Amino acid sequence: MALLSLSNRDPWSFSTTTWLPGGLLLAVLMMSRLNLWPVWLVTTLLLHTLCGLYSGRPLILAALFALFDAFTLPLCALALRYITRCERSEGVREPLLALTSLIAIVFGSGLLLMLCLKVLGDDISLFHLVSWSLALLTSILAFWPLTDALNREGKALVAGGRRNILATVGMLVLLLMLFLPSWRHLSPMLYGFNPIWLIFTGILLLALVLEPRVLGAVLLLQYLLVIGATLYERGLFVGGDERSLSAIWNAQWYLLFCSWLGFTTNRFARHTRRLKNQLQQRARIDNALAPAAATALFRLYLTDRRLIWQTPPDAFFGDGYAVTTLSLLEARSVSPFDADLEPWIAGGREEPFRTRIALLLDGAIVRCRMVLLGGDSRDEILGGLAVEAAHPRGGE
């Protein structure tokens, strides 16, 4: 991938007009522990430098480009990790924050690289900044959606397998039909119609229905196919008397915004479905707990067994004792319920979990019903408590 990228250079410096391995390194860093980063960065420096020397770069320039590659991509990975950690609700604000951060980091590094080349005596144009930064940014945004989906969902099975397969195969067939042939002599036959809009519309429509991992794979395959076809002077971006540099820039601008808008649209669609599902779960919980003297709703996060109360649990813990975990809730119960709950959590969770528990409250036993709903999240469960009756201690 590096040698293919280095075979296509801009006319203003020893830089390349595309950089395929950049997004791959970002994906590796995003999916690796921090203590493994030095290994990946050292090997990146060595491989990048050797590929630069093999392609004809002087040693100092080959080392300089490799150094900026190993400097910029970890900063991008750290920024994306921080933004993802702060935006756990999977809202639509995360893609905008990520794009803004990536643009600032990549173009800032590109400007610093250009100044270093100026210091070394290279007479380069300002267009080098756009060429180097655009190549790296396009590669990052092509790999990021798939990496983000794998980090969030792990190896969980993808729902709607047949729909995902048919949609993916259809898009790949369309891409192959439009980018494998040469359009140099066919462009006059299109009479102003640009097939790029057909692909762009298809990607956005797929983003509304596909699972994130499937969409990420489609965006990555589109990036590799479009860049590869354009470098070999094929596809929709190469036509007429257009120069190869202009063609690769057009392809990269398209891929940059297509990847980002596809990821944002997919995140917005998932966020909307998530809110709708939460409303449906709330209605199911209310129906399961009614009628009751008092109710309290909570969310159970399975990673740390943490409880977040959606409504005040004053009727159950009026003494101000903070029940913030499932273990503390079980400690307030007369009889444990964890033995019945764990098999349900480990299972399919298709049916609601229902049990009766007795809570100790100020010398009294409060009899309650507890209901849990599995939902569509593997790490989050909606639950509720309903008061049935209260008796003095020993009145059983």
Side-chain angles (χ1 to χ4, degrees):
M1 294 172 72
L3 292 175
L4 177 62
S5 301
L6 289 168
S7 65
N8 191 278
R9 297 177 178 174
D10 64 40
W12 306 289
S13 70
F14 281 91
S15 183
T16 62
T17 56
T18 184
W19 187 239
L20 299 174
L24 182 60
L25 176 60
L26 178 95
V28 170
L29 295 178
M30 290 287 292
M31 301 184 69
S32 301
R33 300 189 305 272
L34 290 177
N35 60 352
L36 295 178
W37 281 25
V39 177
W40 293 112
L41 296 179
V42 169
T43 53
T44 295
L45 281 169
L46 293 175
L47 288 174
H48 194 168
T49 303
L50 291 175
C51 290
L53 291 173
Y54 181 81
S55 63
R57 281 177 174 172
L59 176 59
I60 187 170
L61 288 182
L64 182 64
F65 280 106
L67 182 63
F68 270 84
D69 195 32
F71 165 75
T72 306
L73 290 168
L75 289 180
C76 294
L78 288 174
L80 291 178
R81 281 193 170 196
Y82 177 76
I83 292 172
T84 302
R85 190 179 300 114
C86 294
E87 297 290 324
R88 288 187 177 274
S89 62
E90 295 191 11
V92 296
R93 189 174 63 172
E94 179 185 344
L96 181 59
L97 292 175
L99 180 64
T100 305
S101 302
L102 292 175
I103 290 176
I105 294 172
V106 172
F107 276 85
S109 299
L111 181 59
L112 185 59
L113 174 60
M114 189 179 70
L115 294 177
C116 292
L117 293 174
K118 286 281 190 180
V119 171
L120 292 176
D122 290 329
D123 187 17
I124 61 174
S125 168
L126 184 62
F127 286 106
H128 163 76
L129 170 64
V130 179
S131 181
W132 184 86
S133 303
L134 182 60
L136 187 59
L137 189 61
T138 305
S139 181
I140 290 173
L141 288 176
F143 280 83
W144 176 44
L146 179 59
T147 305
D148 180 81
L150 291 175
N151 280 336
R152 289 180 182 273
E153 301 178 11
K155 298 180 179 180
L157 294 177
V158 178
R162 179 175 298 181
R163 178 193 63 193
N164 290 326
I165 291 175
L166 292 177
T168 303
V169 170
M171 178 54 65
L172 292 180
V173 170
L174 180 62
L175 288 170
L176 291 173
M177 290 174 57
L178 294 178
F179 279 94
L180 285 186
S182 175
W183 289 79
R184 289 183 181 272
H185 306 293
L186 296 179
S187 55
M189 301 173 56
L190 298 177
Y191 293 105
F193 173 72
N194 192 343
I196 287 297
W197 293 110
L198 179 62
I199 301 177
F200 184 71
T201 304
I203 291 292
L204 293 184
L205 291 176
L206 291 180
L208 294 173
V209 297
L210 289 183
E211 295 294 323
R213 281 181 295 169
V214 181
L215 178 67
V218 171
L219 293 175
L220 178 57
L221 291 174
Q222 177 190 231
Y223 167 75
L224 297 175
L225 179 61
V226 170
I227 291 295
T230 306
L231 289 179
Y232 286 102
E233 297 186 352
R234 290 186 170 274
L236 298 175
F237 294 102
V238 180
D241 298 328
E242 195 169 20
R243 296 181 303 162
S244 59
L245 177 62
S246 178
I248 196 65
W249 274 21
N250 289 334
Q252 286 175 332
W253 283 118
Y254 160 76
L255 290 170
L256 189 154
F257 288 105
C258 184
S259 296
W260 181 74
L261 286 176
F263 178 79
T264 305
T265 303
N266 184 260
R267 179 60 60 84
F268 176 76
R270 285 176 59 84
H271 186 65
T272 303
R273 289 195 293 267
R274 181 185 179 88
L275 292 178
K276 181 180 178 181
N277 182 65
Q278 288 178 355
L279 292 176
Q280 293 175 344
Q281 285 187 322
R282 177 67 180 264
R284 292 178 62 190
I285 283 286
D286 291 338
N287 291 334
L289 297 178
T295 61
L297 303 182
F298 59 84
R299 289 198 173 274
L300 170 62
Y301 293 90
L302 299 181
T303 52
D304 51 6
R305 293 298 197 266
R306 181 166 44 97
L307 293 177
I308 300 296
W309 295 95
Q310 307 294 299
T311 55
D314 298 338
F316 305 90
F317 316 109
D319 54 1
Y321 182 74
V323 178
T324 57
T325 65
L326 189 64
S327 299
L328 291 176
L329 178 62
E330 189 174 31
R332 298 297 299 268
S333 176
V334 175
S335 58
F337 54 81
D338 189 66
D340 298 326
L341 180 59
E342 285 300 326
W344 179 80
I345 294 178
R349 289 182 268 172
E350 289 87 1
E351 297 295 328
F353 175 81
R354 305 171 188 267
T355 187
R356 280 180 166 80
I357 60 176
L359 299 177
L360 295 175
L361 176 60
D362 294 334
I365 295 179
V366 180
R367 299 186 179 278
C368 308
R369 282 178 289 132
M370 184 170 68
V371 179
L372 299 175
L373 296 180
D376 58 351
S377 175
R378 61 190 182 96
D379 297 323
E380 183 180 328
I381 292 175
L382 179 65
L385 291 174
V387 175
E388 290 188 336
H391 303 277
R393 185 185 294 274
E396 294 183 274

